[in-house]
Amino acid sequence: MILNLTDINISFGKNHFLGPINASFENGCLNLIVGRSGSGKSTLLKLLAGFHKEFTGSITLDYDKFIPDGNISLTFQNPETIFFNSTVFDEVSYSLKISNLKENEIKEKTNKWLKTWGLSSALYSEKYPFNLSGGEKRRVALAACTILEPKVILLDEPLAGLDRVGQKDLSEIINSLAKEHIVIIVTHEPELLINNNSHILFIDGVYTKEFNVNDFLSKAIQNSDFYPLPEWYVENLKYYVNSQKLPIVKAEEVANFLENQKNK
Amino acid sequence: MFNKVKLKFRNLNPITKGFLCVIYILIFSFFCKSWQIGLVMNLFVLLSCLFIDEDVIQLIISLKKILLLLIIVAIFQGFSGNEFNYVNALSTIFRIIGVFFVATLYTKVSTQNELLYFWEKCFKPLKLFGVSSSEYALTMVIAIRFLPVFMDEIERIKIAQIARGAKLKTNSIVSAINFMPLLIPILTQAIMRSEELADAMEVRGYSTERPRSLYKKYSFGKYDFLTIFFTTIIIVVLAYIK
């Protein structure tokens, strides 16, 4: 599957806000949208979800016109935005209920999905979503938005407010979703999600550019104003910016890379 | 110059605004017996929008919110005799539209504090019977101000449904049925919000028990007297016509 954006220009009233954006997002890899606060990342997600209508240009899914209508899901930065049911079970199963599935199918799928997102149904099913911790709320929101497994999954800061273990768990789940769905993620911490076949769209005001992982890391190592990577990573890899395959921001990968370079 | 005048009329004393709102609602309810008077009075209200910097077109468009009510009332009023009475239906419609316009404009040009100030003054005589006027005024103002909050909440839920993959275009009856089970959670959340609001007010020292000072002093100016004078003329003219 491939989602193509051609000459997308976003405006608010008479004011041009962002664009032109030319980008393509595919399944099988994590599509990351990166940029400074207020640069228009979340607005682009809202446009893809059909909430922002003021734009020109065309969006196609597998070369057919893309109309967001039951084929997308969007998880907002603030997970509470999407809560409106009285229990976690009702919250997560809502999408299945409106799809007219049978009750036992709904129960089975919901319990399975809660487990996938690290929420035991015995513990969480009857809890009031607003009373959960920040990390639990995020898991419930992600579970609720992805249970229908639509073609396009849009995630706005999915790892914000989570502890390190939670971030690792969720990034694994998101990676597995990306195999069969087009997953587009807005993030301020791409280093937490980036893997070797990630695709990055960098947005900075009217300037937008697509990068593969190597080009993005190389540019960020050379210029911290472009994107500030962790200092330990930049310090260790600043002499290898021209390398054909830079390691992703993981200590183990960097250690292996440096070891290989020494042996050469 | 005209902008200054508009600002003056918009920022009338809260008591004048409240008083005018009540008076014009009474005028539309009891004096507009014929459709011609109703039409003229509605045109007068629309004309007054120019003096308080409100969009006339938007106000007219907002009538669609009560369109169903207008149609039902027109049918009932029109068929009250042997045959359909257009005059009856029209005069009733103009009266309802007038009340709607006046109430809409009043809430648009009044801040929450101004509403509170007016209702506190209205309920002041109740103090003689040991009833706290400020408590009743606050209850009324919050009740008015919570309606947009409810509307926002419904809009948020619609967005949340679409964000989960719900279809944008569904049959309105089906979507209404789907919405029914959500009414209780919406009410629960509204009550929780009101508790949060009460806590926020209390931690900032709000109490209806003690006398409170006002950050903004409201005074009567020439524009207040001018509007009251014009209103009096209108009442006299209408009484004469009657």
Side-chain angles (χ1 to χ4, degrees), chain B residues 2-207:
Chain B
F2 187 57
N3 281 341
K4 269 188 182 176
V5 173
K6 279 197 275 192
L7 200 66
K8 291 278 182 193
F9 274 113
R10 203 180 166 88
N11 295 328
L12 289 175
N13 188 296
I15 295 177
T16 314
K17 285 183 197 173
F19 172 74
L20 288 175
C21 174
V22 174
I23 289 292
Y24 279 104
I25 286 174
L26 290 175
I27 288 175
F28 276 110
S29 307
F30 299 110
F31 285 91
C32 296
K33 296 283 183 191
S34 71
W35 71 268
Q36 290 95 334
I37 297 176
L39 179 64
V40 172
M41 282 305 294
N42 273 300
L43 290 174
F44 174 74
V45 172
L46 290 177
L47 186 70
S48 69
C49 287
L50 300 175
F51 291 90
I52 53 172
D53 205 14
E54 276 299 328
D55 193 341
V56 181
I57 307 292
Q58 281 301 320
L59 187 64
I60 294 168
I61 290 171
S62 68
L63 273 178
K64 68 179 179 192
K65 291 173 190 168
I66 57 161
L67 194 62
L68 189 66
L69 174 78
L70 291 176
I71 292 168
I72 292 169
V73 170
I75 291 168
F76 273 93
Q77 287 295 323
F79 283 112
S80 55
N82 290 332
E83 56 185 38
F84 194 79
N85 189 337
Y86 291 99
V87 178
N88 242 358
L90 265 180
S91 65
T92 314
I93 284 176
F94 282 129
R95 281 156 77 178
I96 295 172
I97 290 174
V99 172
F100 175 77
F101 279 167
V102 171
T104 308
L105 288 177
Y106 177 55
T107 46
K108 275 191 170 183
V109 298
S110 301
T111 63
Q112 190 159 335
N113 280 344
E114 287 174 346
L115 291 173
L116 192 63
Y117 183 80
F118 173 69
W119 288 110
E120 260 183 28
K121 296 288 173 197
C122 285
F123 287 122
K124 216 164 189 179
L126 292 175
K127 269 194 175 171
L128 292 170
F129 307 102
V131 178
S132 168
S133 61
S134 47
E135 219 164 275
Y136 274 88
L138 188 67
T139 313
M140 283 192 70
V141 171
I142 287 178
I144 293 168
R145 286 293 169 194
F146 250 66
L147 283 174
V149 175
F150 271 117
M151 298 308 287
D152 287 349
E153 191 71 7
I154 289 167
E155 192 56 37
R156 183 183 72 80
I157 289 172
K158 272 186 193 167
I159 286 174
Q161 288 173 327
I162 297 164
R164 291 174 190 202
K167 298 228 173 195
L168 283 166
K169 291 167 197 163
T170 48
N171 183 330
S172 58
I173 296 167
V174 173
S175 60
I177 292 167
N178 284 338
F179 208 76
M180 292 305 271
L182 305 177
L183 286 176
I184 291 170
I186 290 172
L187 280 173
T188 316
Q189 278 169 37
I191 291 166
M192 284 175 73
R193 275 179 190 216
S194 66
E195 279 175 1
E196 280 170 14
L197 179 66
D199 287 343
M201 286 170 78
E202 273 175 24
V203 295
R204 290 178 195 189
Y206 185 86
S207 166

Side-chain angles (χ1 to χ4, degrees), chain A residues 51 68-70 72-74 76 80-86 91 94-95 98 128 130 144-145 148, chain B residues 153 156-169 178-179 181-182 185-186 188-189 192:
Chain A
F51 296 135
D69 189 12
I72 60 106
S73 75
L74 168 63
F76 292 90
E80 285 185 8
T81 311
I82 65 145
F83 292 163
F84 56 86
N85 287 286
S86 47
E91 204 69 71
Y94 178 79
S95 305
I98 56 170
Y128 185 51
F130 282 91
C145 282
L148 270 186
Chain B
E153 191 71 7
R156 183 183 72 80
I157 289 172
K158 272 186 193 167
I159 286 174
Q161 288 173 327
I162 297 164
R164 291 174 190 202
K167 298 228 173 195
L168 283 166
K169 291 167 197 163
N178 284 338
F179 208 76
L182 305 177
I186 290 172
T188 316
Q189 278 169 37
M192 284 175 73

